[in-house]
Amino acid sequence: MSTATTAEPVEEATAAPPAPRVTPAVAVRHGALLAWRSLLKIKRNPEEVLGLTFMPLMFVALFVFVFGQAMMGDWQVYRDFIIPGITAQSVIFATIGTGVALNTDIEKGIFDRFRSLPIARSAPLVGAILGDLVRYGLTVIAVLVVAVLIGYRPEGGVFGVVAAGAVVMLFAFALCWLSAFMGLLLRTPMAVNIFGSVWMFPLTFGASTFVDPDDMPSWMGAFAKVNPVTHVTDTMRGLMEGGPVAVPLMWTLVWVVVLIGIFFPLATRAYKRRA
């Protein structure tokens, strides 16, 4: 006696829908949206802006009025020399905060949420850096306002000041990718802050920021002349005071391309691996 077996229908496996393709235009839009999210932090943490503005103002007061007379015999002459340097130093030093903020977001699990969204992988990094650039712009404005209040009158006029601000912001954008890479590579925000300060101090102080490299010891002067911060500062000084610009601007752009070319892919890859 044979028994007939009825085969139950087998449900076909449904394939997961393909992930939406992220075009460069969509990636830019995602980055802009996350940049707005970064700016909203200011409302919750206004002390961050106070920190970015108070420190540069303290540097202006200390270096102009305490060291100015001793450095050049006239604090007003030193004021005109140092204002572009303090502006550059303040913005460049503040880029450490990009790495600290990224590391903090990763510790809190925020980037895990970003990873689960159908957005460009680079969008969280781009958004964080673009948001930081707005804050750095406030630093530039604060330094220049105080400089004008103490009598600084740039020979380059409004165009020279705006162009100098654009140069330092472009360099800061490139340097932010190095900071972001450190923030993704190191384990804690404190480690990012300490490690960033270790290399940022010689980079910003061992330049033409506060002293002409020709007045330094030979070995330090040689380092200062190839220091990228010297090129940025000399470009800003030339634009704001009407001096030579072509050579330092060329080297500044070279450094911008090198920094972005190296650390943008490294930061993006580190984000994919850590997130």
Side-chain angles (χ1 to χ4, degrees):
M1 181 176 179
S2 62
T3 59
T5 59
T6 60
E8 297 182 356
V10 179
E11 296 182 357
E12 294 183 0
T14 58
R21 181 173 177 268
V22 178
T23 63
V26 173
V28 171
R29 182 165 58 86
H30 292 166
L33 288 173
L34 291 178
W36 178 248
R37 174 250 176 195
S38 179
L39 291 176
L40 290 178
K41 291 181 181 179
I42 298 176
K43 183 184 294 185
R44 299 187 182 91
N45 300 302
E47 61 272 10
E48 291 183 11
V49 178
L50 293 177
L52 288 172
T53 54
F54 178 75
M55 184 68 71
L57 303 186
M58 185 176 64
F59 270 104
V60 172
L62 286 176
F63 278 88
V64 171
F65 296 112
V66 176
F67 301 112
Q69 196 73 24
M71 294 293 292
M72 291 188 172
D74 186 344
W75 69 268
Q76 294 174 324
V77 174
Y78 191 60
R79 174 201 61 201
D80 296 346
F81 174 82
I82 203 177
I83 289 300
I86 289 182
T87 306
Q89 187 257 3
S90 301
V91 173
I92 292 170
F93 208 95
T95 57
I96 298 175
T98 298
V100 174
L102 286 173
N103 191 282
T104 302
D105 281 350
I106 290 175
E107 279 201 336
K108 292 181 178 179
I110 295 175
F111 271 40
D112 289 335
R113 296 178 62 187
F114 289 154
R115 192 183 184 190
S116 66
L117 299 175
I119 60 175
R121 290 303 183 196
S122 61
L125 301 181
V126 173
I129 290 174
L130 291 180
D132 285 342
L133 287 178
V134 175
R135 289 193 282 268
Y136 302 156
L138 298 177
T139 301
V140 173
I141 293 172
V143 172
L144 293 176
V145 167
V146 173
V148 170
L149 290 177
I150 62 175
Y152 179 63
R153 300 294 183 267
E155 296 290 335
V158 176
F159 175 79
V161 172
V162 172
V167 168
V168 72
M169 295 297 287
L170 178 63
F171 184 75
F173 174 74
L175 204 60
C176 279
W177 289 107
L178 169 58
S179 180
F181 178 63
M182 288 196 309
L184 295 164
L185 195 65
L186 300 177
R187 294 182 180 274
T188 64
M190 182 175 292
V192 177
N193 199 7
I194 293 174
F195 188 79
S197 299
V198 165
W199 63 264
M200 190 62 76
F201 268 102
L203 194 67
T204 55
F205 283 89
S208 65
T209 315
F210 303 105
V211 181
D212 192 314
D214 292 333
D215 296 332
M216 301 177 182
S218 58
W219 62 271
M220 179 60 74
F223 170 76
K225 290 178 180 178
V226 299
N227 188 336
V229 178
T230 293
H231 301 141
V232 176
T233 303
D234 289 350
T235 302
M236 295 179 65
R237 195 168 281 139
L239 290 168
M240 297 172 74
E241 296 299 325
V245 173
V247 174
L249 177 60
M250 179 195 69
W251 280 111
T252 298
L253 295 178
V254 168
W255 278 109
V256 167
V257 172
V258 169
L259 288 171
I260 294 177
I262 293 175
F263 291 104
F264 173 76
L266 287 178
T268 304
R269 186 178 305 166
Y271 166 68
K272 291 178 181 177
R273 295 180 63 180
R274 180 160 182 176

